[in-house]
Amino acid sequence: SSELTQDPSVSVALGQTVRITCQGDNLRNYYASWYQQKPGQAPVLVIYGQNKRPSGIPDRFLGSSSRNTASLTITGAQAGDEADYYCSSRDSSGNVFGGGTKLTVL
Amino acid sequence: QVQLQESGPGLVRPSQTLSLTCTVSGDSINYGAYYWTWIRQHPGKGLEWIGYISYSGDTDSKSSLQNRVSMAMDTSKNQFSLKLTSVVAADTAVYYCARGSLPAYNDGWTFDFWGQGTLVTVSS
């Protein structure tokens, strides 16, 4: 099965913009979805498809895609955005998740 | 609002079968193009897709787990279940159930509602 690669950790200053990336061959064919997970909680869907947000997710969360890379951009980062972020996409045997990126808001 | 709730033993002996049930409220599991999915997370690690049972009863699972995984649905109780046989310590994880879909032809799997997760420990 294919893999999705994420940077283990990223930091951003309060109020600034941060991009979290996800690389994988299957991203050339399928959009990624993105999940936010805070400690002790279940993941929450924040972005899916071509930059679609579920109800209740602020428009500070933006998704984009180019070639084999999907990106989650968070503008005006807030302390509450500190979490693990996982990308996910289809592969030949079902679904695959990236390893996750820990976002620290400084 | 769709809600999912996992239930099952928190401790399973090695070589035994892990059995979990997910109870769904706010949606009917056999209506609509949804795929009722199991995902697990090893302690301190990332997410791992296990498999799904569809609204029509079709199943699919991760190839490395396929020979140990079975899934079923009970529409009368609006529940779906996971069985994982011959468990080992490496199967210790938080197990989540989630509602999955493919919103568009080129979208990846999208999991929009999740249970709170249940920790299953494999130990003697």
Side-chain angles (χ1 to χ4, degrees):
Chain A
S1 63
S2 62
E3 293 184 352
L4 296 178
T5 301
Q6 298 182 242
D7 291 328
S9 64
V10 169
S11 61
V12 61
L14 190 67
Q16 297 304 301
T17 297
V18 63
R19 176 180 291 180
I20 299 170
T21 61
C22 172
Q23 289 188 305
D25 285 342
N26 278 11
L27 298 178
R28 297 179 186 273
N29 302 312
Y30 300 112
Y31 289 110
S33 54
W34 290 92
Y35 301 87
Q36 176 194 71
Q37 186 179 35
K38 297 180 179 180
Q41 298 183 18
V44 172
L45 176 68
V46 294
I47 289 287
Y48 67 100
Q50 191 173 10
N51 192 27
K52 297 175 228 179
R53 284 182 307 278
S55 173
I57 301 300
D59 59 7
R60 301 186 297 103
F61 290 82
L62 302 166
S64 60
S65 183
S66 176
R67 298 191 181 95
N68 71 331
T69 301
S71 300
L72 172 69
T73 300
I74 305 172
T75 62
Q78 301 179 0
D81 298 334
E82 189 161 288
D84 294 327
Y85 290 85
Y86 294 92
C87 61
S88 167
S89 193
R90 276 196 257 181
D91 74 350
S92 57
S93 59
N95 181 79
V96 62
F97 287 97
T101 297
K102 182 176 181 59
L103 175 66
T104 300
V105 179
L106 304 172
Chain B
Q1 178 79 338
V2 179
Q3 293 184 316
L4 297 90
Q5 177 69 59
E6 304 89 352
S7 59
L11 178 65
V12 182
R13 305 299 182 193
S15 80
Q16 299 301 303
T17 296
L18 180 159
S19 297
L20 294 174
T21 297
C22 183
T23 301
V24 179
S25 59
D27 195 5
S28 293
I29 62 172
N30 62 339
Y31 180 79
Y34 293 115
Y35 297 77
W36 302 95
T37 303
W38 291 97
I39 293 162
R40 68 181 181 180
Q41 187 169 33
H42 296 102
K45 303 296 184 183
L47 301 167
E48 180 185 20
W49 179 80
I50 298 172
Y52 68 72
I53 182 164
S54 77
Y55 59 100
S56 60
D58 296 330
T59 61
D60 192 14
S61 57
K62 184 174 182 176
S63 55
S64 62
L65 297 173
Q66 229 160 38
N67 63 345
R68 296 197 293 134
V69 165
S70 64
M71 287 167 285
M73 59 198 311
D74 183 340
T75 56
S76 67
K77 296 180 180 179
N78 216 39
Q79 296 174 333
F80 62 103
S81 61
L82 169 72
K83 290 188 186 299
L84 181 66
T85 62
S86 304
V87 297
V88 296
D91 293 313
T92 293
V94 174
Y95 286 76
Y96 295 100
C97 56
R99 189 179 81 167
S101 65
L102 293 170
Y105 77 96
N106 59 348
D107 283 351
W109 285 104
T110 296
F111 306 110
D112 56 355
F113 292 99
W114 296 63
Q116 65 186 27
T118 187
L119 174 63
V120 179
T121 301
V122 178
S123 175
S124 55

